[in-house]
Amino acid sequence: MNIIQKLPIDTLGYNFIDPKYIPKGKDEYHLRNIQNTNAYRSLSAAEIALLVTNRNTSDNWEKILVSKKFNANLVKNCSFYGLVRIGNMEPVYLSFHDFKMPVGLYSSTIISCDIGNNVCIENVNYLSHYIIGNDVMIANVNELTTTDHAKFGNGIVKEGEDEKTRTWIELCNENGGRKVIPFDGMLTGDAYLWSKYRDDEALLEKFRYFTEKKFDRQRGYYGVIGDRTVIKNCGIIKDVQIGSDAYFKGANKLKNLTVNSDALRKSQIGEGCEMVNGIVGFGCRIFYGVKAVRFIMASHSQLKYGARLINSYLGNNSTISCCEVLNSLIFPAHEQHHNNSFLCAALVMGQSNMAAGATIGSNHNSRSPDGEIIAGRGFWPGLCVSLKHNSKFASFSIIAKGDFPAELNIPVPFSLISNDVANDKLQVMPAYWFMYNMYALSRNAWKYVDRDRRTEKIQHIEYDFLAPDTINEIFSSLTVLEKLKPDEEGTATIEGWENTKRTTEILKVPQAILLFKELIRYYGVIALFEHIQEHQFAGFDEMKKTISAKIQRSKWLNIGGQLIQEEDVQKLKRNIKTDKIKNWGEVHQFYKDHGALYAKDKLNHAYTSLLEILNITPRQFTPGLFKQLLQQAIATKEWMCKGIYDSRAKDYSSPYRKMVYDTNEEMNKVMGRLEDNSFIQQQLAELDELKKQVKSITRKLKL
């Protein structure tokens, strides 16, 4: 049966903290008084009389403290219990969008709360142990309460609690083998480092120590509702820390959360949402029946239209709607919009897009739910793609519609992966994006930069498709592709890419090899070109002296969307274990420091990559060769622009695209004129500018 206790009414609102957890010489308000240092006074006899006339009740009017500008006329039909402190009240109303409320406290039960200046509270059935900021509007809420052991979504354990109560997030793997402790401020890089290096017990212990050190284990912290926050028509809000300028409307249940929000990065939670045990970053938007449990949403991410996010981390500037995501770690700039798409037990390393019907994570080919999928950035599974655990994909893998029968390991980036059911074989086309889909590839790189709303860019996120990680993958791919023996059509076979005995075909091998080599040269030359533009060198030799003399191409890792040299990541791990890095703040400073160094490190990588693909030494890199390479870069940019235009032009020339329009004028009204496409025009302008700047550099450096 339910255990319902009967206690004296005069104890309601008191003894928030069990006396055994109150430090010696302190009272139950010692943490509350640290959280709120405002000055208050007692009520006058006239104010008490007016409050009683207005049908307010209190167990003890001496426990109602107010500011100098308190207005008793604006408090009606309220029941007060415990110590309640109330700020200024003016005879005005607050208006937010079309929602208007008079300042004051009306028809509510208020237990041991601090209420700021010019706050509107009406029809809150149970408001308990909250510190409410200024100009806050709260209406029609069933329960708004904080417990003495509130953790606000952080994976900590309060005094007297069992370790079993700790909240973990089971990322990347359904059996909990990569679980992490969530905390407010956890970045994608933090989650990746913690979930990845499971064989390094000393490192994992430090991560746990860093997390626990961030928080006080004392019981008795009050929930906080920041200035100008609006909450209306909600069910249960329990143990939720809320920043300023947030907007909650129609949420069913919000429990054990931190919702970060401020004037520049407003977070919103809408109708029908139920969220438990999580962290919501700044500028997030959550609407229409969302279910989220054990989760972190990084800043400026969105959940919409019945999305389910469970045991997962959603990176910055990402959107998930309608579908279900379980046990996944998702790096920044992820898109997933369809009700029948499913993502489970996956590490998705950013700039990804999942189509309708994609099922990324069937574990039924394993005896235990311990399978994983790892997808490099730029992961695009197409319509109705079904993948098996374990599978691994290089960067910018695009997967054609199909039910793939077995595990896959595709190490070549920019590939189209197809299941040829009729001929019972797997087909992989390396460099597909550059051959047939330059518009999407280039536009997405631009789009992600344009849509990065982060105001605090602790991690430098790389969005360019040609970067140290993808270039290194291309080099590794060339080693594989150049060993193949393609037929006259350029097709070859390979083993080890699919866990079956059927044939795996690699298509257009010679074309891919030529393209990959050209792209490496382009990457290296453009990096040098931009370096010269930035520094305005007087001559070629002066420029060359500023580039590292290293001839070894460095290895890189994608740490939560930030590309960092592998040797630097190893050093970070050593410094954490030897106490040279002592907390998460210093880990985040590491990200910042290496973000500041990224342009230089990338330049050195580009230069060594250029030397390697040309098979020359630094001494052989001469002005004449550089001039030749600049002209080749222009030619590469020209075919890129042509590819961008041609791949988009297909949408205007295909009879199957045109058949829904009676006239070209109708098509142009709906789709916009191809000639007016702003992205294409931007790319052509960049080509013209490249040509002009190459001429200028050639003259200035006397090439």
Side-chain angles (χ1 to χ4, degrees):
M1 66 178 187
N2 292 338
I3 300 174
I4 298 177
Q5 297 178 314
K6 295 180 181 179
L7 302 170
I9 189 65
D10 59 5
T11 64
L12 179 58
Y14 304 97
N15 302 315
F16 179 53
I17 310 173
D18 189 309
K20 65 183 177 183
Y21 298 121
I22 299 175
K24 187 175 181 180
K26 305 287 185 180
D27 60 21
E28 67 169 298
Y29 307 118
H30 72 284
L31 294 176
R32 176 181 178 180
N33 291 332
I34 294 173
Q35 292 180 272
N36 178 15
T37 59
N38 293 333
Y40 298 95
R41 63 176 176 84
S42 298
L43 292 167
S44 67
E47 287 171 328
I48 294 173
L50 183 54
L51 288 168
V52 172
T53 300
N54 288 340
R55 291 186 291 186
N56 298 291
T57 64
S58 172
D59 65 299
N60 184 350
W61 290 110
E62 292 182 0
K63 291 293 185 178
I64 308 299
L65 304 179
V66 298
S67 68
K68 291 182 179 180
K69 295 183 180 180
F70 169 74
N71 187 338
N73 286 303
L74 305 182
V75 181
K76 299 178 181 179
N77 299 312
C78 290
S79 299
F80 297 99
Y81 298 92
L83 175 64
V84 177
R85 304 188 291 201
I86 306 170
N88 299 340
M89 291 182 173
E90 299 177 65
V92 298
Y93 73 87
L94 304 185
S95 177
F96 178 75
H97 298 166
D98 295 325
F99 183 47
K100 300 173 175 62
M101 290 183 69
V103 165
L105 312 179
Y106 306 98
S107 304
S108 299
T109 296
I110 300 173
I111 301 172
S112 194
C113 290
D114 291 348
I115 299 168
N117 298 328
N118 292 322
V119 169
C120 311
I121 295 177
E122 185 167 2
N123 292 330
V124 179
N125 294 335
Y126 191 85
L127 173 56
S128 171
H129 297 92
Y130 261 95
I131 297 173
I132 300 171
N134 302 323
D135 303 316
V136 170
M137 304 170 71
I138 307 175
N140 305 321
V141 177
N142 288 340
E143 180 181 345
L144 182 53
T145 183
T146 304
T147 63
D148 76 309
H149 54 276
K151 305 164 191 69
F152 307 113
N154 298 293
I156 55 176
V157 176
K158 291 290 186 175
E159 290 178 312
E161 289 188 318
D162 193 292
E163 176 63 29
K164 294 178 182 178
T165 65
R166 187 187 299 275
T167 295
W168 295 79
I169 299 182
E170 297 175 356
L171 301 176
C172 304
N173 193 302
E174 287 183 274
N175 72 354
R178 297 190 186 276
K179 65 183 180 180
V180 304
I181 299 174
F183 61 89
D184 184 22
M186 184 181 228
L187 300 177
T188 325
D190 305 335
Y192 176 72
L193 290 170
W194 199 336
S195 64
K196 172 62 178 172
Y197 297 108
R198 306 307 288 190
D199 55 343
D200 193 335
E201 290 290 346
L203 181 68
L204 300 183
E205 187 56 38
K206 286 295 183 183
F207 287 151
R208 179 168 178 155
Y209 170 72
F210 289 174
T211 303
E212 292 182 338
K213 192 169 68 169
K214 279 177 64 71
F215 301 99
D216 188 349
R217 295 186 69 242
Q218 290 186 91
R219 292 173 176 250
Y221 282 96
Y222 278 40
V224 173
I225 300 173
D227 297 345
R228 300 175 300 280
T229 282
V230 178
I231 303 173
K232 67 176 185 180
N233 305 325
C234 293
I236 297 172
I237 302 175
K238 185 174 183 179
D239 290 348
V240 180
Q241 194 92 328
I242 308 169
S244 72
D245 302 278
Y247 184 27
F248 295 179
K249 57 174 180 176
N252 290 344
K253 182 176 182 179
L254 307 175
K255 181 180 178 182
N256 190 29
L257 307 174
T258 289
V259 180
N260 290 289
S261 181
D262 61 23
L264 296 177
R265 302 168 293 177
K266 297 179 281 188
S267 290
Q268 301 182 22
I269 302 178
E271 294 84 350
C273 293
E274 296 169 3
M275 309 180 74
V276 179
N277 299 340
I279 308 291
V280 176
F282 287 98
C284 289
R285 298 167 66 87
I286 303 125
F287 290 113
Y288 307 130
V290 162
K291 315 297 180 188
V293 181
R294 297 187 179 223
F295 68 94
I296 293 180
M297 294 177 64
S299 67
H300 306 287
S301 56
Q302 301 185 68
L303 292 178
K304 302 185 293 186
Y305 308 125
R308 284 87 73 202
L309 182 71
I310 302 168
N311 265 316
S312 296
Y313 187 115
L314 180 62
N316 308 89
N317 304 299
S318 297
T319 298
I320 292 177
S321 61
C322 308
C323 55
E324 184 170 10
V325 175
L326 309 173
N327 303 93
S328 294
L329 171 54
I330 302 171
F331 289 7
H334 174 79
E335 300 286 330
Q336 189 171 348
H337 297 280
H338 308 285
N339 191 46
N340 52 346
S341 62
F342 176 72
L343 179 66
C344 180
L347 169 64
V348 183
M349 304 183 83
Q351 294 144 263
S352 40
N353 194 315
M354 284 186 57
T359 303
I360 312 304
S362 171
N363 267 339
H364 299 299
N365 58 322
S366 173
R367 295 179 181 86
S368 173
D370 56 2
E372 301 178 21
I373 284 177
I374 299 175
R377 61 190 183 99
F379 181 58
W380 282 49
L383 292 169
C384 299
V385 164
S386 178
L387 298 176
K388 298 290 187 183
H389 289 95
N390 293 336
S391 288
K392 188 174 182 179
F393 300 92
S395 300
F396 294 92
S397 292
I398 185 168
I399 307 176
K401 177 180 179 179
D403 183 2
F404 290 80
E407 302 92 328
L408 298 172
N409 183 12
I410 310 299
V412 177
F414 303 105
S415 293
L416 172 64
I417 303 153
S418 307
N419 182 26
D420 185 350
V421 177
N423 298 297
D424 192 26
K425 59 188 175 184
L426 178 71
Q427 291 185 322
V428 179
M429 187 188 300
Y432 164 83
W433 289 91
F434 301 102
M435 296 179 192
Y436 300 108
N437 209 2
M438 271 304 305
Y439 180 85
L441 183 63
S442 297
R443 186 179 179 278
N444 284 329
W446 166 83
K447 176 183 73 176
Y448 295 133
V449 175
D450 186 62
R451 296 181 181 179
D452 190 346
R453 300 181 185 176
R454 294 175 300 150
T455 57
E456 188 180 15
K457 297 181 179 181
I458 296 174
Q459 290 200 262
H460 176 90
I461 308 301
E462 175 63 88
Y463 296 115
D464 199 328
F465 51 85
L466 294 180
D469 60 336
T470 53
I471 294 297
N472 284 352
E473 286 182 321
I474 288 174
F475 270 111
S476 298
S477 300
L478 287 172
T479 301
V480 174
L481 297 177
E482 289 179 331
K483 292 179 181 178
L484 300 177
K485 297 178 180 179
D487 60 20
E488 292 180 357
E489 296 180 351
T491 301
T493 61
I494 198 167
E495 295 181 352
W497 289 18
E498 184 183 54
N499 188 22
T500 65
K501 294 181 180 179
R502 67 177 185 165
T503 300
T504 298
E505 284 186 346
I506 315 298
L507 308 180
K508 298 184 181 293
V509 173
Q511 296 96 315
I513 290 172
L514 290 174
L515 266 173
F516 280 163
K517 289 182 177 180
E518 183 175 353
L519 290 166
I520 294 171
R521 291 195 298 269
Y522 179 78
Y523 164 74
V525 173
I526 290 299
L528 293 172
F529 167 78
E530 292 174 348
H531 181 56
I532 292 167
Q533 277 192 308
E534 181 181 355
H535 295 283
Q536 300 295 315
F537 298 108
F540 178 82
D541 290 338
E542 181 185 347
M543 179 275 291
K544 196 172 175 182
K545 289 177 182 177
T546 65
I547 306 172
S548 172
K550 290 182 179 179
I551 59 172
Q552 183 69 38
R553 174 169 47 89
S554 54
K555 297 180 180 179
W556 290 68
L557 298 174
N558 184 345
I559 306 297
Q562 180 174 359
L563 303 184
I564 305 175
Q565 294 182 97
E566 184 180 45
E567 63 180 10
D568 293 326
V569 175
Q570 297 302 330
K571 183 178 179 181
L572 167 68
K573 291 162 59 180
R574 289 195 301 271
N575 286 345
I576 289 171
K577 290 185 288 186
T578 57
D579 292 330
K580 291 181 180 178
I581 289 179
K582 299 180 176 62
N583 52 56
W584 283 117
E586 292 182 6
V587 174
H588 295 176
Q589 188 60 49
F590 168 87
Y591 299 149
K592 287 183 179 180
D593 293 343
H594 283 271
L597 294 171
Y598 179 66
K600 181 180 178 182
D601 291 340
K602 183 179 179 181
L603 171 65
N604 291 331
H605 178 270
Y607 179 56
T608 54
S609 298
L610 181 62
L611 297 179
E612 184 174 346
I613 201 63
L614 295 174
N615 194 25
I616 62 174
T617 65
R619 186 183 296 274
Q620 293 172 296
F621 184 59
T622 62
L625 177 58
F626 186 45
K627 181 179 180 180
Q628 178 184 342
L629 290 169
L630 284 169
Q631 295 304 316
Q632 290 177 2
I634 291 174
T636 301
K637 182 66 175 178
E638 285 177 334
W639 72 249
M640 282 184 169
C641 287
K642 184 178 185 302
I644 290 168
Y645 181 89
D646 289 348
S647 60
R648 181 57 173 154
K650 293 175 187 176
D651 296 332
Y652 290 80
S653 59
S654 168
Y656 292 97
R657 294 298 297 266
K658 295 175 69 173
M659 67 184 180
V660 297
Y661 309 108
D662 292 336
T663 65
N664 284 336
E665 287 74 17
E666 180 188 358
M667 180 176 68
N668 288 333
K669 285 291 185 182
V670 174
M671 297 177 60
R673 288 176 5 115
L674 178 61
E675 294 78 8
D676 296 335
N677 184 291
S678 60
F679 178 71
I680 292 176
Q681 295 304 317
Q682 175 190 330
Q683 293 300 304
L684 292 173
E686 288 182 6
L687 173 60
D688 289 340
E689 184 62 22
L690 176 63
K691 291 178 179 178
K692 291 176 184 177
Q693 292 299 323
V694 166
K695 284 183 179 180
S696 174
I697 287 172
T698 300
R699 287 195 304 269
K700 187 170 184 180
L701 298 186
K702 300 176 183 179
L703 299 178

